Amino acid sequence: MTMADKERKQLNRFVKRTLLACLPLLAIVMTYIAIDPFNVIWGFNPMDKVAEKSEPFNRSRLAVEAYLNHRDSVDYNAFLFGSSRTIYYSVDEWKRHLPDDAVCFHFDAAWETLEGMLDKMDLIKEKGDRIKYAILEFHADQFADTAHAEIPYRQDFRLRHSENVFAYHFRHFMSALNTDFLKVYIPYLFTGKMEDTEENKVFESPMRGYDPMKNEIDYRNFDDEIDTDSTAYFNRYSRHYQKAAVDSVVPRMSDERIALLREMRRRLNADSTDYRVILGPSFYRHVNNSTDVALLRRIFGVKRVYDFQHLGVESQSNFYDNIHYRYFIADSIMTMVYGK
């Protein structure tokens, strides 16, 4: 046997062993793609698999897909930007305060970041659409320098048009291997029951409906529960409420955060957008310091920034949990903001 034959044989042996070593990983990847636990690969409607709860999904991806799927047939020009708190800003109620030409869309994300909001504005510009009307809803923690990391797959992974597609899916894949996630998700695969644990919240809350044209989720079923038996509701979700007697003031915004806010203003001004900036309340009373509130008014304009961080914080019944205020609070905010 020649030296070349020996080298070829060794190379073939190495390739075979490498392929065998890769088979388990390949099997895991193929299983992940087939199951698609976060609904980021295949087409998805959050109402497709609703039982007592919904399968996990990334709200930012849902919003982007809804926008891209319908923008050719719907001339969107009014956008709600912010975290999941903007879900409770009803499009029908908002339209009551806007001119007749307004066509509204929820462009939210769970634990939305400033980068995520700006990404969505850039996507609208990239597609040649105009932001004629807008609401920017902020919570105090949104001005932090790092994304919320309590649940990996609910971090804002930013839009696929501005982030490497491989990185986008790699993050979700690694989240699927998270031990805490698997402790809850694997039993669901065998039993079909969407049951979170005290330590790990994986599944989405039950919803009454979803309108993909507006990207509007209807959570009024929670209002029904509260109206029927508020004591039972608050007892059932007691761990999601943290009563705060005094404010917890978040740290000052960094120069990086300020630069992002200024870029948002430039983007909105370029469209001559009629917009409102809302600092909404939270039951656990995380608030921005007065210096940052004044800074926001300098950036966006005194007449555009509305501080409601203490609205309704005296009563648990005004909130669904620590940070999400109820539909009627959002309705009241829009009435006060638009003055009609």
Side-chain angles (χ1 to χ4, degrees), residues 320-337:
Y320 299 110
D321 53 34
N322 275 334
I323 63 171
H324 296 98
Y325 44 93
R326 295 178 63 183
Y327 280 98
F328 71 85
I329 296 293
D331 290 349
S332 297
I333 286 175
M334 286 189 283
T335 297
M336 289 185 279
V337 162

Side-chain angles (χ1 to χ4, degrees), residues 18-70:
T18 301
L19 289 175
L20 286 173
C22 290
L23 283 179
L25 176 60
L26 180 62
I28 292 173
V29 172
M30 296 303 295
T31 300
Y32 167 80
I33 292 173
I35 295 175
D36 188 17
F38 304 128
N39 295 289
V40 295
I41 299 173
W42 312 113
F44 174 67
N45 181 328
M47 295 300 294
D48 283 346
K49 302 175 182 178
V50 171
E52 293 182 357
K53 294 187 176 183
S54 300
E55 286 195 345
F57 59 91
N58 187 297
R59 290 190 193 279
S60 185
R61 189 258 184 171
L62 180 71
V64 172
E65 292 300 321
Y67 169 68
L68 294 177
N69 287 341
H70 297 101

Side-chain angles (χ1 to χ4, degrees), residues 33-201:
I33 292 173
I35 295 175
D36 188 17
F38 304 128
N39 295 289
V40 295
I41 299 173
W42 312 113
F44 174 67
N45 181 328
M47 295 300 294
D48 283 346
K49 302 175 182 178
V50 171
E52 293 182 357
K53 294 187 176 183
S54 300
E55 286 195 345
F57 59 91
N58 187 297
R59 290 190 193 279
S60 185
R61 189 258 184 171
L62 180 71
V64 172
E65 292 300 321
Y67 169 68
L68 294 177
N69 287 341
H70 297 101
R71 59 164 298 277
D72 288 336
S73 58
V74 181
D75 295 325
Y76 298 118
N77 61 7
F79 298 89
L80 277 157
F81 297 103
S83 70
S84 56
R85 304 198 319 172
T86 62
I87 290 172
Y88 308 101
Y89 284 73
S90 164
V91 160
D92 290 341
E93 181 64 21
W94 189 27
K95 281 181 61 66
R96 195 171 65 81
H97 301 287
L98 297 176
D100 293 340
D101 68 336
V103 182
C104 304
F105 184 82
H106 282 266
F107 226 154
D108 62 296
W111 290 102
E112 179 68 290
T113 62
L114 301 187
E115 291 91 342
M117 293 174 72
L118 187 57
D119 267 355
K120 293 176 177 66
M121 293 179 187
D122 287 342
L123 178 63
I124 294 168
K125 178 181 179 181
E126 176 188 300
K127 294 301 178 181
D129 295 332
R130 178 190 174 192
I131 307 173
K132 192 172 183 179
Y133 312 100
I135 286 178
L136 282 66
E137 201 277 352
F138 294 112
H139 57 79
D141 297 322
Q142 204 164 353
F143 299 103
D145 283 317
T146 56
H148 190 271
E150 179 182 351
I151 304 173
Y153 73 85
R154 289 187 183 168
Q155 293 179 37
D156 175 47
F157 295 149
R158 307 187 66 184
L159 301 184
R160 286 181 288 174
H161 83 279
S162 63
E163 180 180 47
N164 180 279
V165 175
F166 174 80
Y168 174 86
H169 287 289
F170 181 73
R171 293 185 187 184
H172 282 84
F173 174 70
M174 294 306 296
S175 293
L177 302 182
N178 179 281
T179 303
D180 289 336
F181 172 78
L182 292 174
K183 287 179 182 177
V184 177
Y185 195 75
I186 288 178
Y188 157 68
L189 293 177
F190 288 95
T191 67
K193 295 182 179 180
M194 301 180 183
E195 297 181 349
D196 295 311
T197 66
E198 288 293 320
E199 298 80 18
N200 303 309
K201 186 178 185 300

